[in-house]
Amino acid sequence: MEKIVIEGGRRLEGALPISGAKNAALPLMCAGLLTKGGLTLHNLPHLADIKTLASLLTELGSKISYDEEGWDIGSGQTVTIAAQNITSTTAPYDIVRKMRASILVLGPLLAREGEAIVSLPGGCAIGNRPIDLHLKAFEDIGATIELKDGYVRASGKLTGGTVHFATVSVGATENILMAACLADGSTIIENAAKEPEITDLANCLVAMGAKISGIGTSRLEVTGVSELHTTEYSVMPDRIEAGSYAVAAAMTGGELELLGNDLPFVMTGTLEILKQAGLVFNETDRGLLIRLGSEKIKGINAVTQPFPGFPTDMQAQLMAMMTMCDGASVITETIFENRFMHVPELCRMGADITVNGSSATIRGIGKLLGAQVMATDLRASMSLVLAGLAADGVTDVNRIYHLDRGYERLVQKLGSCGAKISREQADSI
Ligand code: UD1
């Protein structure tokens, strides 16, 4: 197993290409199951989760081809998903347990084949994460759902209908949106999630021939069509990767130009809070230039919310930054329970954090100190990398397979902006 070793205290400066968004890429790949014609996706990030999903799509009968020629630090890969024949409608436990987003094959398989059998994802490090909202919505548009032996079996001809989500769910909105495109009728999705990754998915589906209105709002209307056709689509930039590097710029007293389209819009909730913390942003013709505008990071009060609010996927990174704030900060997590597992690790680096239910109070300290740390989920791991970049001394971040799931070329990207960071062999932990 490998670890990331960081010698902290170096100012980061330079231009950082932002990769294609993992959370947009995964549903887009699943949308490839909706057409016999093949879907070509550009700007897909090189990440472990993309490979895991590709292996699931292959298992279902898709042929996946990659164009990886000459990719460098700033270029994504082009992947074609050719699902002319679906040979299996079962997503097995072994793959679904590795990656919860595998549940997103349910909608496309059901819509196209009239049946999908998908392993229940089970618990995960950041909470219980049930799929009840997905299942109820499929029933609302005509499916029959059975749960047996740890699997969901969804079947039936989709007729469309009205879906009203009691809670905003990104994955459930995506799943039902994909299925509704091939339903035999119209579907209205109320209280839909509005995350930019959903807009990206909807725009791709429209390019494939789907009829969707209300894109970008919480009320989506889908008129089913009999088939979707081939298209090419380019994945949006990763707003969470971009937000993480914005935090890196501030924590190291540096200045980074994040390269990507539409960053001010897709990062809106993040930028709002970072601005309150004293960061300044200037739009450039290539992206967004970010630095700390005040002498010290200012204390903030942040609450995680669905888009356009402050994203839960930035909560751990923000907390790492607030360990250095002037005074104190409060961060409240409203989306997932049990998403403060980075707290004890940050405290091992000298942070002063108290958790009370779903809120954490962070009192700023002068300097973080390097330490041996490890995290149990992707964003928590990134918070430790960020802390390591700013800390005095050396930080070893263990269990880096989490980072490989979500941060493309992390070491190379940070290294190119002046960080002293490397991957090394770890003692087994
Ligand atoms: C997606 C993102 C994840 C992000 C999250 C919230 C992907 C691949 N993952 O996850 O990075 O942190 O959105 O922005 O895009 N819930 C239920 N029942 C359900 C579904 C969800 O109770 O059937 C709850 C969840 O437990 C959670 C909340 O709804 O408390 C929001 O979860 P959801 O938006 O569905 O997250 P994901 O789609 O899993």
Side-chain angles (χ1 to χ4, degrees):
M1 220 186 279
E2 288 178 302
K3 63 181 177 180
I4 285 179
V5 180
I6 305 163
E7 222 178 281
R10 297 186 179 234
R11 182 175 185 272
L12 297 190
E13 192 167 0
L16 245 171
I18 299 305
S19 299
K22 169 180 86 72
N23 286 356
L26 297 173
L28 284 166
M29 289 172 75
C30 294
L33 292 173
L34 287 165
T35 175
K36 292 183 179 180
L39 174 63
T40 297
L41 296 171
H42 302 291
N43 198 35
L44 274 151
H46 296 78
L47 294 172
D49 273 10
I50 300 293
K51 290 211 168 72
T52 304
L53 183 57
S55 66
L56 174 56
L57 297 179
T58 305
E59 181 126 348
L60 303 175
S62 310
K63 303 233 175 331
I64 312 276
S65 48
Y66 298 87
D67 170 9
E68 290 197 87
E69 260 174 55
W71 72 282
D72 60 28
I73 198 168
S75 63
Q77 56 187 332
T78 293
V79 174
T80 298
I81 297 123
Q84 192 171 20
N85 298 307
I86 292 190
T87 52
S88 163
T89 52
T90 301
Y93 174 69
D94 253 7
I95 299 185
V96 180
R97 80 179 161 84
K98 276 196 217 150
M99 194 185 59
R100 185 185 149 82
S102 315
I103 189 73
L104 295 175
V105 300
L106 201 155
L109 284 177
L110 172 63
R112 190 160 148 197
E113 299 294 305
E115 179 190 76
I117 302 164
V118 178
S119 169
L120 288 164
C124 81
I126 61 171
N128 189 22
R129 297 182 91 177
I131 58 162
D132 55 320
L133 296 169
H134 299 240
L135 302 186
K136 177 166 182 312
F138 285 122
E139 283 179 333
D140 289 342
I141 62 165
T144 302
I145 303 286
E146 291 170 77
L147 298 181
K148 205 174 160 211
D149 303 329
Y151 278 75
V152 179
R153 181 172 185 275
S155 58
K157 180 100 194 88
L158 298 179
T159 52
T162 298
V163 173
H164 181 91
F165 285 118
T167 306
V168 176
S169 163
V170 174
T173 302
E174 290 166 344
N175 226 346
I176 212 73
L177 176 64
M178 289 188 279
C181 290
L182 291 183
D184 216 3
S186 297
T187 301
I188 294 172
I189 309 174
E190 292 172 345
N191 202 22
K194 294 184 289 190
E195 268 63 7
E197 291 78 12
I198 292 175
T199 299
D200 217 33
L201 173 65
N203 287 340
C204 177
L205 292 168
V206 168
M208 294 166 77
K211 292 200 161 52
I212 306 171
S213 60
I215 295 174
T217 75
S218 57
R219 189 177 192 276
L220 297 167
E221 276 191 58
V222 188
T223 306
V225 295
S226 56
E227 56 178 27
L228 296 178
H229 54 70
T230 176
T231 197
E232 293 193 22
Y233 193 80
S234 191
V235 180
M236 65 173 276
D238 195 315
R239 63 195 170 104
I240 305 302
E241 186 196 29
S244 305
Y245 290 136
V247 166
M251 288 181 76
T252 62
E255 182 172 272
L256 291 176
E257 186 185 10
L258 308 178
L259 310 180
N261 300 329
D262 283 339
L263 293 178
F265 173 69
V266 297
M267 293 174 73
T268 178
T270 298
L271 295 184
E272 183 57 40
I273 290 291
L274 295 184
K275 213 179 278 174
Q276 289 171 27
L279 277 72
V280 290
F281 316 103
N282 288 303
E283 276 189 62
T284 67
D285 53 1
R286 306 188 297 176
L288 206 53
L289 191 65
I290 302 206
R291 66 184 168 80
L292 186 62
S294 50
E295 202 178 309
K296 288 200 83 177
I297 293 164
K298 297 177 190 162
I300 49 89
N301 187 345
V303 180
T304 60
Q305 296 285 355
F307 189 83
F310 181 74
T312 176
D313 285 351
M314 276 299 301
Q315 182 256 106
Q317 301 90 311
L318 180 71
M319 196 175 300
M321 181 165 109
M322 286 307 137
T323 62
M324 298 169 65
C325 77
D326 198 13
S329 294
V330 177
I331 301 180
T332 304
E333 173 60 59
T334 69
I335 309 291
F336 293 110
E337 80 271 27
N338 204 16
R339 205 176 192 181
F340 282 146
M341 276 161 344
H342 38 287
V343 170
E345 297 299 297
L346 288 172
C347 289
R348 296 187 64 242
M349 298 178 72
D352 180 350
I353 307 172
T354 316
V355 174
N356 191 351
S358 60
S359 288
T361 302
I362 307 112
R363 287 168 208 84
I365 53 163
K367 251 305 178 197
L368 290 162
L369 302 171
Q372 291 258 359
V373 287
M374 71 167 80
T376 42
D377 77 67
L378 170 58
R379 307 304 169 186
S381 300
M382 189 59 183
S383 77
L384 300 176
V385 169
L386 293 167
L389 290 171
D392 265 352
V394 176
T395 298
D396 287 5
V397 182
N398 291 288
R399 285 202 189 149
I400 60 171
Y401 53 84
H402 293 297
L403 290 163
D404 291 336
R405 290 188 45 213
Y407 287 90
E408 182 180 74
R409 297 205 141 187
L410 174 78
V411 165
Q412 290 89 333
K413 285 189 184 185
L414 286 171
S416 75
C417 296
K420 190 130 198 283
I421 180 168
S422 56
R423 282 175 89 108
E424 292 177 17
Q425 215 44 48
D427 305 331
S428 50
I429 287 183

